[in-house]
Amino acid sequence: MTTDDLTQIPSRPTGIARLFEAPQMGKMSPAGCVIVYSLLFIWTGFVLFPLYWIAITSVKLPIDVNSGPAYLPWIDFTPNLHAWRDLVVLEWAETLKPYRNSVIIAFFSTIACMFIGSMAAYALARIEYKPKFGTILMFVLLMAAASVSVGVWGVDWRLASASAAAIFVLLARALGRRFKRSVGNSDILFWMISQRILPPVVTVVPVYMMFQSVRLLDTQFAIILTYTVVNLPIVVWLMYDFFSGIPKDLEESAQLDGASQFTIFYEIVLPLARTGLAATTLLVMIFAWNEYIVALFLSTTKAQTMPILVAAMNAGEKGVLWWKMSVVIIIMIIPVVLMALVLQRFISRGVLLGAVKG
Amino acid sequence: MTAANIGADVAVERRAQRLSILALNKSFGPVHVVKDLTIDVAPGEFLVLLGPSGCGKTTALRMIAGLEVADSGRVILGDTDVTEALPKYRDVAMVFQSYALYPHKTVAENIGFPLKVRGVPLEQRSAAVRDAAAQVHMEEYLERYPRQLSGGQRQRVALARAIIRRPSVFLMDEPLSNLDAKLRGYMRAELKHMQHELGVTTVYVTHDQVEAMTLAHRVAIMDQGVLQQIGKPREVYDNPANLFVAGFMGSPSMNFIDGRVENGRFESDGVSLPLLNGAPAGPVVMGFRPEDATVVDPGMGQFDAKVFTAELTGDVTLVTIVIGDKSLAVKMPKEYEVDFDSAVAVSLPLQNAFLFDAHTGNRLPAQFALPPGQ
Amino acid sequence: MPAVIMILIFSIFPLIASLILSLSRVRLRAGGYDVRFVGLRNFEKQLFGSEQFHFLGTFTSISLLGWVFIIAMGALLIRWFSVYLRGPVVVIGLIGRIITASMILALSVLLAATLLSGNQFGTLGVTLFYVLVGSAIQFLIGLGLAIICAQPIWGRTFFRVVFFLPMMITPIGIGYAFRMMADTTKGPFSPVWQFFGLRDFAWAADAWTARSFIVIGDSWQWIPFIFVVLLAALENVPRDMIEAGHVDGANGWQIFKEITWPSIAPVAATVMLIRAIEAFKLVDLPNIMTAGGPGISTESMTLQAFFAWRAPDLAQSAAVSYLLLFIAVVLCVSFFNLVILKRRAAIA
């Protein structure tokens, strides 16, 4: 056989080369070990150093911050809790308000988002939708007409949207059957994802005007609603994958047992998808908790959130109040880290992977 | 019985090599998966590692491949100690249970991969790929992707990927378990033929005793990490070393009756049989194979019983009988018919009955006394 | 279905409203605003008019290097088309490729005319710098970390949690934290700056150092995301495929190149799409760290739209947003169709 000569088994390298090869399976080569651990520690330092700096800045006096770098508490400078006292004791009422706003907004928008989004994702994963291309086009055109009439000609928005909806229902009944081309679930899904491409500034200006026209600016409700819609595509996209991964026969057997569609969803599907739910919830919550631009546009005083408070620490006449800002950042991080620690095992279990398999 | 004369009747190819594993041990955490495993495989021999799932057979195979490293013991391939060598420095090829084909590579690329990573030039490589594909009758599918193939075809590709290198040892981890029954029978025959043609030393892991019986030159039966018995399939079947081997080989499995040795007789509920040479008194288990016994009219056999069911399986009628609270299986010719619940007796050629120690499970040398006429 | 309708209303309404705004002149007055239709004048202003330097950059004649670059890109695109036309051609695919190609060509001409000719580039160039350079760096580091953490290392959980931390911090906070870090007199690294005699060196005054700092901050925040997803992907590669590779005799690099990488490529492509989408929207970091400066050299398009909104010039803001949307959609859809779908098909 000629192939005998083709497959000479190599022998182990000797000398220096030996350092670069694992001694056996499941182990790292000596050189690899050194490289891997040094990279790990370098990166850990890169990740942790800014956090450390924020932490020590929060216990520095203004003079310690402004007189140059001081690295170690008790050695380079004396820790002082003045910034913490200012924010957490003296001005607690002013800190508490955005904190409460942030909690309420992040909580309710996450709940709403998960609720609507997971139902939509489930529907997309299980039911074959065939909306007619023409119907969608018609809907979009009517929406356009309604917005133009509100924006340009100053028609009352309630009147405009009501009449647009009425015309749409009438026309959809009359013309619905004539449209031939339809779109499928995958088109809907891709369109959902593409919503994430919209830059916030594209949406935020009209949304600002919209809420202005219905007098809802600077309310928690407006921000909750906006975050819900902005984060919906993520939820739908992620949850679609988790739901598709659940075997259909489980639901079918439940159907035979006489369970209703909603019972099946809550009793069978949701518990099975709970890893996905946990990870998605965490992700959406982080986005809602940390969002800045929308909050900046939509709130002035009453509905301010924590990121706005962080930015507000720049407004002092003496420049940035680093010590106070560090305190705000730290109290912002704490709840997210706690949440993440609780959900940690879900994150590292390849859950986010489902996110991007699409 | 030495390994050397087992492989002697096989056409031994130049590259076939002896594989020895000596006192191999492996633990995963607190679980001791493989205990002091020692097997010597002759060049060109087809050795089957047989056992229930979790018995350590796959771990043993992976240690031979170098995918796991033994806690203690040695793996010796030819003249080389490869106990700790990386897989690529061992001249072994492996077929995985899942086939482990590369989904993004075509059939040809999959088969040619072992040559590609060793830097074999393209021309020689594609010739070798065609050769290997021809051996498994896959020449027409070279440009397909694994996802476009059926289960049986994927299995052939995995085989071709193993044989293209002409390794000194083939390792196969339940390669047929993902195929349906009909295809499995066919592939079994193909596999046996191919191994004979190539004459490569082969270690084959399975939990299916039919595969073990049909494929192996020798079978090594493992349970809970311990080698129970090793020998030719017929030997293992006819001369089980202990209760486990006796029960594992054969389908339906051997009948067992718990009892005691008393006064030179085997005594159990409703059964009393004479023993030839004095077995020590104590609890024992008597066993016999379903095909060795016959169901006869009451009073005509060694012990009386009642018919529970009779099932025609095609080539035989399987009669289940009960003695007290014990049920036993007996294979009868397919023409045999009997009413449920009717009283019968079992006639058993006592030279085919076995006696095991109830505590250790080991086979007892004691023989049953043959009644006159047998 | 309610979600679909809700998104439809909430995304199409702003789209339409923005479109109207971008085609109008908006003037605020007490208690409301006036909207007057002006056609494409806002876009004209951005692309050719008084805002051209801001959006596209400053042009003079194109340098030799610029011409070489344009010709090279053109040749690449022609080659790409000739390869495509040899295979089966679908009308929609062809149109899509033409759009993609013209976008790439236009952007390369822009790059050649500004950066490669020694001129300043505008917010479009800055945005693309953040998207392309930033994402590329983050991908490489994220992949490297994921590979390291997939090794049998001690303390896996600790490193994973630590590496994920930056993802949880508000971008605003990150912006300020990095402003502290980068301070050459009071920041933690000021002794280092001093050692190199750069005590009075103001990184924020130089376009490229300013951009680099923003990319570093952005990377600090986004590498964790890429890292987590790629790590999950790496751990999902079937183990016996890797083991088969070992038995077949491949070395570590061959296993990565031939087995691991093709298996994680679809996930890698998708995670890069998500990253790029978010990078197009980068606004917090440049706003805080440099306020777009020096001049306009770190101003992303989103930041430009933000500044225009604050001016307040809603119409210009909407027009810039629309231009960004157009470019982002063309590039992302091209990437999705030409890279991700192909990768997925390869292992489906």
Side-chain angles (χ1 to χ4, degrees), chain B residues 62 98 104-105 147 165, chain C residues 239-240 243 247 254 258 348:
Chain B
R62 289 167 57 84
S98 65
H104 48 273
K105 292 183 185 294
R147 61 173 181 276
R165 275 173 47 199
Chain C
R239 215 178 76 170
D240 50 4
E243 291 180 343
V247 177
Q254 284 167 330
E258 304 269 348

Side-chain angles (χ1 to χ4, degrees), chain B residues 8-319:
Chain B
D9 58 327
V10 186
V12 178
E13 227 215 21
R14 186 165 59 84
R15 295 200 65 167
Q17 295 211 342
R18 171 177 304 273
L19 170 73
S20 305
I21 53 184
L22 298 171
L24 225 46
N25 274 287
K26 180 74 185 175
S27 300
F28 291 116
V31 192
H32 201 166
V33 200
V34 174
K35 293 175 197 156
D36 282 329
L37 185 67
T38 301
I39 298 176
D40 199 23
V41 191
E45 185 182 3
F46 197 124
L47 180 96
V48 173
L49 271 179
L50 176 69
S53 56
C55 73
K57 56 192 192 299
T58 298
T59 309
L61 191 77
R62 289 167 57 84
M63 285 192 283
I64 300 172
L67 295 171
E68 306 279 357
V69 177
D71 297 338
S72 68
R74 310 243 61 97
V75 178
I76 294 157
L77 180 57
D79 308 321
T80 334
D81 184 338
V82 292
T83 312
E84 296 199 339
L86 289 175
K88 64 177 166 180
Y89 300 129
R90 311 180 179 203
D91 197 7
V92 298
M94 183 159 170
V95 178
F96 290 75
Q97 182 173 10
S98 65
Y99 315 142
L101 299 182
Y102 312 123
H104 48 273
K105 292 183 185 294
T106 62
V107 168
E109 287 167 341
N110 262 289
I111 298 177
F113 187 70
L115 300 190
K116 184 179 176 189
V117 295
R118 292 205 167 80
V120 175
L122 186 66
E123 252 168 63
Q124 277 172 290
R125 199 160 82 211
S126 36
V129 166
R130 271 193 304 276
D131 270 3
Q135 259 169 318
V136 294
H137 315 298
M138 287 292 291
E139 309 97 307
E140 290 155 37
Y141 302 96
L142 284 177
E143 293 316 309
R144 298 245 189 127
Y145 283 93
R147 61 173 181 276
Q148 299 164 317
L149 301 177
S150 69
Q153 289 168 332
R154 286 179 202 184
Q155 150 84 99
R156 289 158 187 276
V157 176
L159 267 178
R161 190 173 67 184
I163 62 177
I164 192 170
R165 275 173 47 199
R166 310 277 159 193
S168 342
V169 176
F170 271 150
L171 305 174
M172 305 198 185
D173 186 6
E174 311 218 8
L176 303 182
S177 65
N178 288 344
L179 303 179
D180 63 54
K182 205 171 159 189
L183 199 56
R184 202 181 309 157
Y186 177 69
M187 281 307 293
R188 209 164 58 206
E190 291 251 304
L191 212 59
K192 179 152 196 176
H193 181 75
M194 191 185 302
Q195 198 269 344
H196 182 78
E197 293 271 291
L198 298 172
V200 174
T201 316
T202 304
V203 180
Y204 183 108
V205 159
T206 183
H207 62 266
D208 181 347
Q209 46 104 8
V210 179
E211 272 174 32
M213 296 291 290
T214 50
L215 286 172
H217 293 139
R218 280 195 307 159
V219 187
I221 297 162
M222 289 179 70
D223 183 39
Q224 297 181 352
V226 179
L227 179 66
Q228 305 287 328
Q229 188 174 2
I230 182 164
K232 287 184 175 170
R234 183 180 309 277
E235 228 170 66
V236 174
Y237 189 84
D238 290 343
N239 255 322
N242 57 32
L243 264 178
F244 178 82
V245 175
F248 197 78
M249 298 295 281
S251 168
S253 59
M254 188 182 276
N255 295 303
F256 292 120
I257 302 174
D258 296 328
R260 302 184 55 78
V261 174
E262 272 167 19
N263 308 324
R265 289 183 72 84
F266 171 78
E267 300 283 355
S268 179
D269 191 17
V271 183
S272 175
L273 299 169
L275 290 169
L276 201 60
N277 38 12
V284 292
V285 178
M286 192 270 268
F288 64 92
R289 295 212 177 268
E291 65 269 25
D292 289 337
T294 31
V295 179
V296 292
D297 290 335
M300 303 291 287
Q302 276 90 345
F303 42 90
D304 291 331
K306 210 168 73 173
V307 174
F308 184 66
T309 57
E311 303 152 281
L312 178 65
T313 60
D315 51 346
V316 291
T317 300
L318 194 62
V319 185

Side-chain angles (χ1 to χ4, degrees), chain C residues 162-325:
Chain C
V162 168
F163 290 176
F164 191 62
L165 270 179
M167 187 75 199
M168 304 173 194
I169 296 162
T170 179
I172 294 285
I174 295 172
Y176 282 111
F178 273 84
R179 204 160 117 184
M180 276 195 259
M181 295 290 112
D183 196 307
T184 45
T185 54
K186 297 167 204 159
F189 299 112
S190 61
V192 181
W193 299 118
Q194 282 170 28
F195 180 77
F196 289 108
L198 294 170
R199 189 183 167 83
D200 299 319
F201 170 75
W203 59 271
D206 177 78
W208 283 106
T209 49
R211 282 176 200 137
S212 314
F213 266 110
I214 287 170
V215 169
I216 291 174
D218 190 43
S219 305
W220 191 79
Q221 185 189 10
W222 276 96
I223 285 173
F225 174 73
I226 296 171
F227 159 75
V228 166
V229 176
L230 287 184
L231 181 62
L234 280 174
E235 295 194 328
N236 250 36
V237 177
R239 215 178 76 170
D240 50 4
M241 246 162 69
I242 307 280
E243 291 180 343
H246 279 293
V247 177
D248 284 345
N251 61 32
W253 166 244
Q254 284 167 330
I255 285 180
F256 178 76
K257 194 183 87 181
E258 304 269 348
I259 301 170
T260 315
W261 173 247
S263 317
I264 65 166
V267 175
T270 316
V271 79
M272 285 319 287
L273 178 69
I274 297 180
R275 174 65 271 246
I277 287 174
E278 300 294 326
F280 272 115
K281 303 195 283 186
L282 182 70
V283 56
D284 298 331
L285 284 181
N287 185 21
I288 289 160
M289 289 177 69
T290 59
I296 54 163
S297 55
T298 55
E299 194 174 322
S300 67
M301 286 175 73
T302 316
L303 191 57
Q304 189 190 1
F306 176 69
F307 285 155
W309 170 81
R310 215 168 50 181
D313 188 350
L314 292 187
Q316 281 303 328
S317 176
V320 173
S321 305
Y322 241 85
L323 286 166
L324 173 60
L325 179 65

